[in-house]
Amino acid sequence: MENRIGALERQIEKIKTELTLLGDLRPGSLSEQYNVCGNANCRCKDDPPKRHGPYYQLSFTRKARSRTKFVKKTQLSEVKKQLKNYARLRSLVDRWIELSSELCQLRLEQKE
Ligand SMILES: [Zn+2]
């Protein structure tokens, strides 16, 4: 049991260290949009239509409210990095909870 407790503690410490090194965080997901404009003679009214885009849209939910934001092509790689950091945060926290739950139980059993 001592060995397992030590191993869990070390894994949790590694997670904490990685968390402190995460960069900017941004929740949400990116999608590509193709739009039609108001000009009747535009290529987007051709058959088949050549619609405008892609435009990049970020969808996210905060405090039970869904929102979207347009992302410029030039901002795309940075936003992708922010989204990746957020996903990493969530997976690290999940793992921490999992390890910690096991650790909590072992500590209780150790005291018996
Ligand atoms: Zn058009």
Side-chain angles (χ1 to χ4, degrees), residues 37 42 44 52:
C37 72
C42 183
C44 64
H52 304 278

Side-chain angles (χ1 to χ4, degrees), residues 17-72:
T17 303
E18 198 178 330
L19 284 170
T20 65
L21 299 173
L22 278 178
D24 293 339
L25 306 167
R26 178 163 233 177
S29 58
L30 275 174
S31 60
E32 285 184 10
Q33 309 281 322
Y34 292 85
N35 293 343
V36 175
C37 72
N39 183 349
N41 300 317
C42 183
R43 65 183 170 90
C44 64
K45 308 296 185 305
D46 285 357
D47 189 19
K50 297 176 194 75
R51 293 197 287 169
H52 304 278
Y55 301 103
Y56 298 93
Q57 198 174 38
L58 179 69
S59 307
F60 56 101
T61 304
R62 293 305 291 161
K63 298 178 180 173
R65 209 172 138 235
S66 291
R67 299 174 60 187
T68 59
K69 256 194 169 75
F70 276 104
V71 175
K72 293 177 192 164

